[in-house]
Amino acid sequence: MKKTLALILAALALSCLGLFGCSDDGDAKAVADIDFPQLTDTRGTEYKEKTFTTLNGDQVTYNANTRRIVCVFGSQDVVAFGIPLLAYEGTTDITGYESFYEGATALLSSSPFSAEEILSFEPELILVNQKMSAANIAALSKIAPVIPLYTDSTDFATRLAYIGEIFDLQESAQTLIDYADSVKNAMIGEIKDLGLEGKTLTIYTYMGNITIPPERGWFMNTILYDYVGIEREDNVKAFMQDESGVAYSAISSEKLKEYEGDMVIYAGFGETEPSTYVSENVGWQSLDAVKEGRVGVIDITPYAQKGVILLYNQYMQLLEALKVAGQVSEG
């Protein structure tokens, strides 16, 4: 364990971008050995008026020390600073993250939001998603100052530094940025050590029919195909990037095998294995990965959102699934 940790620290010091050497006790320890920084809210309690220019170019004046905050979206980054919330988006499952949300209430209405529900919390600051319309921001501004967050960005330096500026917590922001970089680089190194270079990967899911998740909106695609650089078949890439029709178009049983890559991951919605709707499909049964028992499984739901507190579990799920899909032994 000490050897593995020493290798990680040395690699980070040299900015080796995750190209870690293999340790004797298994590469899966690398990400696990990087502890999440437990930050506390170091802001004062006095009223601190601040005028901030948002990502939209709007100037907003608010109390930078307020604890009366409603987060309509993007809470997974905010709570990492130790900042308490009155309420957060109800689409977030906080199981395993309860300590970050102590005292906070899940909003019953997040998309679309309910102005009446938000008003009931008597907030002094409202945080919203990056693409909220100007009209909706104007409506919420009648309740309290509104600041949109970089919820769509996959650049954690941008996301976290911005929140640090909002609350004058720049040092905490840098600590979280360093953590996000460390875990990302460790993950890249571990996957590269699995020896999967040159192999293609297809992720299937079930949405009334067997299909492939679109590229947009699912963070595991960014991790696997962008950060790590895993390949995919040309027709899989085209299917994922096609926005001309309805997302999650059904793939017929006869066509499923045409999309199969060298590796297969099944992305379920909370399942630990493909449902019978999938497993009993003759097209699914025809896949080489299914016949050979090398289908990795992930829960897709955490990847619908991005947030620094989610990174560890997001990365570890993919690492374990790739070990199965790539038939990588633990020895």
Side-chain angles (χ1 to χ4, degrees):
M1 181 71 72
K2 291 182 179 179
K3 180 179 178 181
T4 304
L5 184 56
L7 286 171
I8 295 171
L9 294 174
L12 293 174
L14 294 172
S15 298
C16 287
L17 299 178
L19 300 179
F20 304 112
C22 296
S23 64
D24 293 337
D25 58 352
D27 291 336
K29 298 292 185 181
V31 174
D33 282 343
I34 303 175
D35 294 330
F36 187 88
Q38 300 297 320
L39 302 181
T40 57
D41 189 353
T42 58
R43 295 176 298 154
T45 56
E46 73 281 1
Y47 179 85
K48 181 181 178 181
E49 185 172 293
K50 179 170 182 172
T51 299
F52 180 78
T53 302
T54 75
L55 57 85
N56 293 330
D58 301 324
Q59 288 202 328
V60 177
T61 299
Y62 58 100
N63 175 14
N65 284 344
T66 184
R67 269 69 176 177
R68 301 199 62 80
I69 304 168
V70 169
C71 191
V72 177
F73 201 77
S75 68
Q76 303 92 342
D77 282 341
V78 179
V79 296
F81 286 77
I83 296 172
L85 299 176
L86 293 173
Y88 61 94
E89 66 280 1
T91 53
T92 291
D93 180 1
I94 68 169
T95 303
Y97 307 101
E98 292 90 347
S99 62
F100 292 100
Y101 290 88
E102 187 175 354
T105 301
L107 291 170
L108 298 176
S109 302
S110 295
S111 182
F113 63 83
S114 165
E116 291 77 11
E117 182 183 19
I118 293 172
L119 177 62
S120 71
F121 289 97
E122 300 181 353
E124 295 179 347
L125 181 64
I126 303 171
L127 304 175
V128 301
N129 59 294
Q130 185 171 352
K131 292 186 176 179
M132 179 170 281
S133 69
N136 281 338
I137 289 176
L140 286 177
S141 295
K142 295 177 182 178
I143 299 173
V146 178
I147 299 179
L149 304 178
Y150 279 105
T151 50
D152 290 345
S153 175
T154 57
D155 182 345
F156 279 86
T158 297
R159 296 167 64 97
L160 297 167
Y162 181 81
I163 295 172
E165 290 293 331
I166 293 171
F167 296 105
D168 292 326
L169 293 173
Q170 289 86 349
E171 186 175 337
S172 293
Q174 190 58 55
T175 298
L176 292 170
I177 291 168
D178 291 343
Y179 167 79
D181 286 343
S182 297
V183 177
K184 174 184 174 181
N185 292 337
M187 176 66 177
I188 293 171
E190 289 187 67
I191 291 180
K192 286 185 176 179
D193 284 344
L194 295 180
L196 305 178
E197 288 82 4
K199 291 188 176 183
T200 57
L201 168 70
T202 303
I203 302 174
Y204 292 100
T205 191
Y206 184 83
M207 290 285 285
N209 292 282
I210 300 177
T211 185
I212 296 173
E215 183 167 300
R216 186 195 298 270
W218 293 108
F219 189 49
M220 76 278 182
N221 294 328
T222 300
I223 296 171
L224 293 169
Y225 299 120
D226 186 7
Y227 292 172
V228 180
I230 291 178
E231 302 293 331
R232 48 189 160 170
E233 300 295 333
D234 289 341
N235 62 341
V236 172
K237 183 176 183 179
F239 187 97
M240 294 176 67
Q241 295 180 343
D242 183 8
E243 298 185 358
S244 62
V246 179
Y248 307 101
S249 297
I251 301 175
S252 68
S253 299
E254 295 77 15
K255 296 284 187 180
L256 273 179
K257 189 168 176 53
E258 296 179 11
Y259 292 92
E260 183 179 11
D262 300 317
M263 301 181 291
V264 169
I265 286 178
Y266 175 74
F269 288 83
E271 305 109 312
T272 56
E273 60 184 27
S275 67
T276 55
Y277 295 108
V278 175
S279 62
E280 295 178 2
N281 182 288
V282 293
W284 179 258
Q285 294 171 354
S286 73
L287 300 182
D288 292 336
V290 174
K291 294 177 182 178
E292 297 166 12
R294 50 181 180 84
V295 176
V297 179
I298 63 170
D299 177 8
I300 197 174
T301 50
Y303 301 95
Q305 294 170 309
K306 295 177 284 291
V308 68
I309 67 171
L310 305 178
L311 287 177
Y312 175 83
N313 285 332
Q314 289 175 331
Y315 284 146
M316 292 303 291
Q317 263 209 97
L318 294 177
L319 183 62
E320 295 306 312
L322 285 172
K323 287 179 180 179
V324 176
Q327 289 192 323
V328 177
S329 68
E330 295 292 339

